[in-house]
Amino acid sequence: MTAATHSPLFPRVPESADAVLDGLDPEQREVATALHGPVCVLAGAGTGKTRAITHRIAYGVRAGILQPASVLAVTFTARAAGEMRGRLRQLGAGGVQARTFHSAALRQLQFFWPKAVGGELPRLLERKVQFVSEAAARCRIRLDRNELRDVTGEIEWSKVTQTVPADYPAALVKAGRQAPRDPAETGQIYAMYEQLKRDRGAIDFEDVLLLTVGVLQDRHDIAEQVRAQYQHFVVDEYQDVSPLQQRLLELWLGDRDSLCVVGDASQTIYSFTGATPDHLLTFRTRHPQATVVRLVRDYRSTPQVVHLANGLLTQARGRAAEHRLELVSQREPGPEPGYTEYADEPAEAEGTARRIRELIASGVPASEIAVLFRINAQSEVYEQALADAGVPYQLRGAERFFERPEVREAGVKLRGAARFGGNDALLDDAVGLPSEVRAVLSDMGWSSEPPAGSGAVRDRWESLAALVRLAEEFAAARPGATLADLVAELDERAGAQHAPTVEGVTLASLHAAKGLEWDAVCLVGLTEGMMPITHARTDEEIEEERRLLYVGVTRARRHLALSWSLARSPGGRPSRRPSRFLNGLRPGSGAAAGRLAAGAAAGGVERGGAAPGASRRRDRRPARCRVCNKTLTDAGEMKLMRCEDCPSEMNEELYERLRDWRAGEAARTRQPAYCVFTDKTLMAIAEAVPGTEPELARISGVGRRKLDRYGADVLALCAGEDPAEGPEESSEGAAENSSEK
């Protein structure tokens, strides 16, 4: 791939380890080069945290410091894991495992179950609702659809907080959690649900984590086998880790500290599932030597959007708010956020659709626009309004792209055309890869113009159109690429769940929008009772709702519209009020929000200090040439701390004296000369000419024992003196020394 054909979708693989660092800001570079020891990255929205941690992994792999198979990167959604694998592949660091907690645990459980327990792993329940419903019926408790969902959520919370059925009521009180229904009844259903699973040889997703924790706790041999495989860990979205996931992470780590966590307490929005930011906020307490890097340079949003996001947190309370980050936009100014009040919900939906049509007419792609709401039930009126306005849309949380029937069918047809295209009449007039793809997919219903309206036909066309655009980008990035090359690319993307963009406005809940971004975002339904939601009663629940709105605001790059309606239906009583979170931000609601109060953290790096009594640890940062500053990957070059072909300032006379001394030591202790010091180590000493023991200790190849044994002699030689005659070493000492190389 040449510079002329480089494209955003298919970036050029960096040529070297150092090239991986190109384009990173100072804080991101600190993250990328801090490859060992505990590292905590506090990353505000839009600050490039995924970029920083993927470049960290890729830099370590490309520099030869991290082995790809020894790295486990853990995140919270299959989409995020797929994106991470795709980015690592583009950086030349394929082979790194990037998975969700559940996926990584399930893989280990499937592998070790026969050895740890025997037989086959029990059947995994894809959905637990049916079992919960049956458990309630056996307990003679009637649940409607919403109650069934609530009880299922309570069971999931109980399991990730490691609460057994009998302890559920007490655990609610201890956690200050509001129960959606009678705790005793919920505990009864929970117990029956667990009994049903045991009777039928089934496990759920929470069991996957619980059982993996149990195996690793009880079988030290298996735990050591896992730790031998994975030696370096990266955890994304660390603010959303549950106690059970934290326990699993601790078992993976053992007594090691090669851990990098990334998170933002201000984006904690899943506490109802058992997630807690406590592990992130206490990381430095648990790891006093940790390096803490704060990312606050916002590359996503305009200053206007960032100002609103910062303003939202001005009134925040609680522990997470005490650790908030003040974002600093790095983009050019844009339009001010818009605030609109409507008479009723249909009017709000129609106004939003009109606004979206104007954005599209001004050049904003439909795929770069999102409508975000608090609950999924709000989507219907917006689906209808967009369909009436002739605007294509897609619902977030629908089937994965590569699992859609039309995409699978297209893959089969493209694979067949790649193999037997010479005999396919469809390709007779096709010239070039994009033309061939269009010809193949036209047989499935793709056309240059989209079908009218919405629905299944439009959804199918959008999927095929996404494949056509991908083929066009691929051909631009790889001139001369064939159908077979494209099929291979699609296979890799399917494995990584690295889907192409589907053209259409995104409709999504605020929770589903986490981790995504668009040029334009419409935040709708911002009324009391919906934002914050009615069932948010405690101070902490209210604060989580504020953080949820903060997440919504920070999804927008340039255009941001906030709206609410005074009534549900046309002609209804206008009794609704705008969300309290907009007070002081929207026009006419009081004083405008200023800068964050004292306590908001700025960007920067904070290095950990050695704890009292801690053992001396060698600096394990990547080795760099002291002449040209290039990252060193060759062992010999790392000893010299310079590239082989960079100029040397070695003291030749000292080098010869060191060689003569080494020959004498080797003869005296009856061992090969290299067991004393290698040639490269002697060269490094002759170049550095250390004058003190710490300076000598910094040279690669001079360990603690060699420093104790030979340090005085080497320092005397470096000072131009003759080393003192030492006593004859015992055979035991000689044997110990001969094992050092």
Side-chain angles (χ1 to χ4, degrees), residues 423-740:
N423 300 319
D424 193 336
L426 280 172
L427 302 181
D428 286 348
D429 298 325
V431 178
L433 177 59
S435 179
E436 291 174 337
V437 172
R438 287 191 287 266
V440 173
L441 299 187
S442 64
D443 198 40
M444 292 179 56
W446 178 85
S447 60
S448 57
E449 293 296 325
S454 57
V457 174
R458 178 62 184 246
D459 290 344
R460 180 181 175 88
W461 183 90
E462 291 287 358
S463 296
L464 300 179
L467 290 173
V468 170
R469 286 193 297 275
L470 184 69
E472 292 168 347
E473 285 278 357
F474 189 64
R478 299 252 315 260
T482 65
L483 266 177
D485 295 328
L486 178 64
V487 167
E489 174 68 22
L490 289 175
D491 287 343
E492 286 203 42
R493 282 174 168 259
Q497 285 298 326
H498 186 192
T501 302
V502 175
E503 200 61 41
V505 173
T506 299
L507 298 179
S509 70
L510 286 165
H511 281 101
K514 179 75 171 66
L516 303 174
E517 59 185 74
W518 296 270
D519 282 346
V521 169
C522 301
L523 296 173
V524 300
L526 301 181
T527 61
E528 286 290 308
M530 193 59 72
M531 178 55 67
I533 197 78
T534 304
H535 56 70
R537 297 186 180 92
T538 67
D539 289 344
E540 182 47 45
E541 288 170 342
I542 295 295
E543 287 306 314
E544 181 144 335
E545 292 290 296
R546 188 195 307 274
R547 295 194 295 268
L548 189 56
L549 181 56
Y550 172 81
V551 166
V553 167
T554 55
R555 300 310 94 193
R557 297 191 191 105
R558 181 172 175 81
H559 304 277
L560 179 61
L562 304 93
S563 64
W564 59 92
S565 53
L566 300 178
R568 178 172 184 176
S569 305
R573 190 163 65 90
S575 58
R576 292 175 170 176
R577 292 181 293 115
S579 169
R580 72 188 74 173
F581 299 144
L582 301 182
N583 291 342
L585 300 174
R586 63 183 178 88
S589 63
R595 295 178 61 81
L596 287 179
V605 183
E606 185 179 344
R607 307 204 185 280
S615 60
R616 184 178 69 86
R617 295 188 355 163
R618 184 180 292 274
D619 182 5
R620 296 181 292 178
R621 286 179 165 272
R624 290 183 172 276
C625 174
R626 51 191 166 80
V627 180
C628 70
N629 203 40
K630 175 185 172 184
T631 299
L632 303 175
T633 57
D634 177 77
E637 291 182 342
M638 291 171 71
K639 281 184 179 291
L640 295 175
M641 292 305 292
R642 64 171 174 81
C643 302
E644 195 74 54
D645 53 357
C646 277
S648 169
E649 297 179 358
M650 185 174 69
N651 184 321
E652 297 284 354
E653 181 183 352
L654 174 58
Y655 178 65
E656 291 303 324
R657 293 184 70 205
L658 286 167
R659 281 174 59 87
D660 292 342
W661 164 83
R662 181 184 66 175
E665 283 295 316
R668 186 165 64 84
T669 55
R670 299 175 184 168
Q671 60 179 323
Y674 66 79
C675 289
V676 180
F677 284 121
T678 64
D679 286 347
K680 282 289 197 300
T681 301
L682 294 186
M683 289 175 66
I685 294 171
E687 289 188 358
V689 193
T692 64
E693 189 172 286
E695 290 176 0
L696 178 59
R698 281 197 287 269
I699 295 174
S700 179
V702 182
R704 180 75 256 174
R705 283 182 294 179
K706 290 191 178 182
L707 189 65
D708 292 341
R709 190 179 306 279
Y710 304 125
D713 285 0
V714 171
L715 289 173
L717 288 165
C718 290
E721 302 169 357
D722 292 326
E725 289 292 329
E728 288 289 324
E729 295 189 15
S730 68
S731 59
E732 180 183 352
E736 177 190 1
N737 188 55
S738 67
S739 68
E740 279 191 80

Side-chain angles (χ1 to χ4, degrees), residues 103-316:
S103 172
L106 179 59
R107 193 178 188 201
Q108 292 174 19
L109 199 60
Q110 288 170 331
F111 184 81
F112 290 111
W113 187 265
K115 179 179 179 180
V117 181
E120 292 187 1
L121 184 70
R123 174 173 62 95
L124 180 63
L125 290 177
E126 293 292 336
R127 298 177 69 247
K128 56 174 69 71
V129 172
Q130 183 178 345
F131 272 47
V132 175
S133 178
E134 184 175 344
R138 290 197 176 195
C139 295
R140 302 183 183 280
I141 299 172
R142 295 176 60 88
L143 299 177
D144 63 25
R145 184 177 178 181
N146 289 332
E147 289 173 328
L148 182 61
R149 182 197 62 204
D150 289 343
V151 171
T152 301
E154 289 304 291
I155 291 174
E156 292 173 348
W157 174 83
S158 299
K159 299 185 77 166
V160 300
T161 56
Q162 302 175 77
T163 302
V164 298
D167 295 341
Y168 170 72
L172 285 176
V173 176
K174 183 177 180 181
R177 184 180 177 88
Q178 294 288 325
R181 58 175 296 106
D182 179 67
E185 286 189 349
T186 299
Q188 189 180 355
I189 296 170
Y190 177 18
M192 181 57 68
Y193 166 78
E194 291 296 308
Q195 183 62 51
L196 277 175
K197 287 197 291 99
R198 285 193 295 271
D199 292 346
R200 297 179 186 176
I203 59 175
D204 59 27
F205 278 102
E206 288 71 42
D207 289 329
V208 169
L209 299 182
L210 284 164
L211 290 170
T212 306
V213 165
V215 168
L216 296 178
Q217 283 182 162
D218 296 343
R219 292 291 300 268
H220 296 293
D221 57 330
I222 292 176
E224 288 307 314
Q225 195 172 340
V226 172
R227 291 167 191 158
Q229 168 69 50
Y230 296 117
Q231 298 166 22
H232 308 278
F233 296 85
V234 177
V235 184
D236 195 10
E237 304 291 1
Y238 193 57
Q239 77 278 353
D240 291 328
V241 164
S242 70
L244 181 56
Q245 290 166 331
Q246 175 65 20
R247 180 60 186 141
L248 178 58
L249 178 62
E250 290 166 356
L251 287 167
W252 281 340
L253 272 168
D255 59 1
R256 300 167 301 179
D257 63 2
S258 188
L259 171 66
C260 174
V261 301
V262 189
D264 178 11
S266 296
Q267 296 187 68
T268 305
I269 59 173
Y270 293 108
S271 66
F272 62 90
T273 68
T276 170
D278 289 349
H279 305 300
L280 175 68
L281 299 180
T282 61
F283 189 85
R284 187 64 184 274
T285 303
R286 289 178 287 117
H287 301 279
Q289 293 194 347
T291 296
V292 179
V293 185
R294 294 179 177 84
L295 304 182
V296 298
R297 302 175 199 248
D298 189 319
Y299 297 95
R300 176 188 300 158
S301 305
T302 63
Q304 287 75 12
V305 172
V306 166
H307 179 73
L308 175 56
N310 285 338
L312 263 177
L313 297 184
T314 303
Q315 315 254 338

